Amino acid sequence: MTASARAEIVVDVAAIRHNVRRLRQLVTRPDGAAPACMAVVKADGYGHGMVPVAKAAREAGADWLGVATLEEAVALRDAGDTGPLLAWLAVPGEDHAPALERDVDVASYSLTQLTAIADAARRTGRTARVHLKIDTGLSRGGATRDDWPALVDASAALETTGAVEVVGIWSHLVASDEPDRTINDEQEQRFRDAASVAEAAGLRPRWRHLANSAAGLLRPSAHFDMVRFGIATYGLDPAPGETHDLGLVPAMTVQARLGMVKQVRAGDGVSYGHQWVADRDTLLGLVPAGYAEGIARAAGNRAEVWADDARRPVRGRICMDQFMIDLGPDSTLAAGDRVELFGTGHDGAPTAQDWAEACHTINYEIVTRIGGRFARVYVDSEVTQ
Ligand SMILES: *Cc1c(COP(=O)(O)O)cnc(C)c1O
């Protein structure tokens, strides 16, 4: 960390490449057959930076990239990405034309949306490549099972006009991180039924996709033609406690330089509301990042930070711009020294998963919310080549 840096998110693109290769290996069946792998880079690459992550994922052989919004897809194209790319979230009034002009595959959840996509296709003189979404149980996006036959029939009719081509059918799982829940089996069955209905209507989608990271790792029967790997691409475990020996490497390390080291006495209260009171004389370090940077306030008095080769507890509340950690009475750390909030877990240092547990949330939220005034820097390590 450079002497002038205050607080940084370090993203190792070699870890992204390693994870993409590793995931591909993990989903390859004994006979060598494997589903295509999509790297999901929505939400600014889960907080890691969409464009650099996309580039690293493509280099490592990701067959597809996936994003939520049309803007994200357009931004990826404008940054030079050219491979298969799907965007799956649009609302009425949004124009699909810029995405279609850039050869982005789009999703349709409803007849209204399909009509809007076909209209944009005619205006651009292109055939829209569409992935029809069936709601198999999440009750979020996608056509209900009641509405599915009409969506499929309308799609088949539009295919004959050349406005759209249905290249995909897809859905999203409710509880892929809880592999024993029967909803997983029910959703898979409903997905197969929906594909049959589409086929009976004359559609021939090349890509049927249902699995996200957890199902990609835990449920081969849900792989179909493609797995949409989000969180696992970043080296984080989608289903802690259910998966084993994934061999993934967390790509994000969050570090800062102490703003100050100070002595407190037994009985001194620390940070707003004095939610922690020192039970002995000790040295505190000021970490110059707070909830404005996406450090959850829930981490107050709960999370740990790596400093001087040991885990040091957060003391008192997380503030907007800063928080305090307990360095212990004998610390030799000084203002300006580096501390690590979370990262790869080297030597027992905290991970995003540890922070998630401390904050009663999931690792996804920890990495995706990190930002604010942190600088983001990229490294390409040798260890994970
Ligand atoms: C975000 C997202 C994914 C990726 O999920 P992970 O659990 O991060 O692998 C896959 N599919 C859809 C529809 C998503 O919204």
Side-chain angles (χ1 to χ4, degrees):
M1 176 164 205
T2 62
S4 63
R6 181 178 47 80
E8 291 179 341
I9 299 165
V10 183
V11 176
D12 185 355
V13 291
I16 300 283
R17 290 197 303 266
H18 165 86
N19 295 332
V20 169
R21 290 193 199 105
R22 174 74 183 145
L23 291 168
R24 180 186 280 284
Q25 200 179 45
L26 287 170
V27 297
T28 300
R29 292 185 281 267
D31 65 0
C37 288
M38 170 188 282
V40 179
V41 298
K42 64 188 178 183
D44 206 15
Y46 287 45
H48 296 66
M50 178 173 72
V51 170
V53 168
K55 184 166 171 286
R58 291 281 196 209
E59 283 165 8
D63 306 289
W64 282 75
L65 295 181
V67 292
T69 68
L70 298 173
E71 281 100 335
E72 288 173 318
V74 167
L76 264 184
R77 288 301 195 225
D78 291 351
D81 182 75
T82 55
L85 169 60
L86 171 63
W88 55 67
L89 189 67
V91 298
E94 278 191 76
D95 188 3
H96 283 75
L100 299 183
E101 281 162 354
R102 290 167 177 78
D103 216 14
V104 174
D105 287 31
V106 296
S108 178
Y109 297 9
S110 69
L111 273 179
T112 322
Q113 198 169 36
L114 184 70
T115 310
I117 293 168
D119 173 61
R122 286 187 203 101
R123 276 186 283 120
T124 57
R126 306 224 168 192
T127 299
R129 295 166 50 92
V130 177
H131 297 234
L132 297 177
K133 185 170 195 188
I134 170 81
D135 179 357
T136 53
L138 187 57
S139 303
R140 205 174 69 179
T144 63
R145 281 175 285 155
D146 287 345
D147 291 342
W148 181 249
L151 180 61
V152 155
D153 287 342
S155 303
L158 279 169
E159 274 197 341
T160 64
T161 72
V164 307
E165 180 190 1
V166 176
V167 296
I169 287 184
W170 67 294
S171 189
H172 197 40
L173 293 167
V174 171
S176 56
D177 57 335
E178 299 172 85
D180 298 334
R181 288 184 56 177
T182 53
I183 184 68
N184 288 301
D185 303 307
E186 287 162 19
Q187 285 193 274
E188 239 175 62
Q189 189 53 49
R190 291 171 189 165
F191 187 64
R192 279 196 210 91
D193 293 346
S196 303
V197 171
E199 194 138 313
L203 299 180
R204 294 290 176 270
R206 164 72 183 81
W207 304 102
R208 293 163 303 154
H209 47 111
L210 174 62
N212 61 350
S213 294
L217 295 168
L218 295 168
R219 214 178 161 80
S221 58
H223 287 178
F224 295 94
D225 304 313
M226 170 150 65
V227 175
R228 303 186 304 268
F229 280 115
I231 197 75
T233 303
Y234 306 93
L236 299 178
D237 189 339
E242 300 289 348
T243 56
H244 302 283
D245 304 325
L246 293 179
L248 301 174
V249 178
M252 180 189 288
T253 296
V254 176
Q255 60 186 16
R257 294 193 318 120
L258 293 176
M260 181 176 199
V261 172
K262 74 160 35 158
Q263 174 85 52
V264 290
R265 303 273 169 221
D268 285 348
V270 174
S271 194
Y272 290 128
H274 278 180
Q275 296 297 303
W276 187 76
V277 176
D279 55 2
R280 54 172 181 164
D281 296 357
T282 191
L283 291 160
L284 298 183
L286 183 154
V287 180
Y291 58 78
E293 274 65 58
I295 308 287
R297 201 163 168 273
N301 273 336
R302 299 184 56 91
E304 294 174 322
V305 168
W306 190 250
D308 203 12
D309 291 327
R311 288 183 175 220
R312 313 289 179 181
V314 173
R315 297 302 197 196
R317 287 194 176 138
I318 305 281
C319 310
M320 188 183 291
D321 322 299
Q322 49 197 304
F323 65 92
M324 305 304 289
I325 56 176
D326 192 347
L327 301 173
D330 306 318
S331 177
T332 56
L333 285 181
D337 284 344
R338 175 187 178 275
V339 299
E340 183 177 312
L341 282 65
F342 58 83
T344 60
H346 64 88
D347 309 314
T351 59
Q353 180 60 28
D354 292 321
W355 274 71
E357 285 166 23
C359 298
H360 303 294
T361 182
I362 52 177
N363 52 28
Y364 296 68
E365 190 178 6
I366 298 295
V367 289
T368 305
R369 292 184 81 152
I370 282 280
R373 293 160 291 181
F374 273 111
R376 210 197 269 130
V377 299
Y378 292 90
V379 296
D380 195 343
S381 76
E382 283 171 19
V383 213
T384 35
Q385 294 296 323

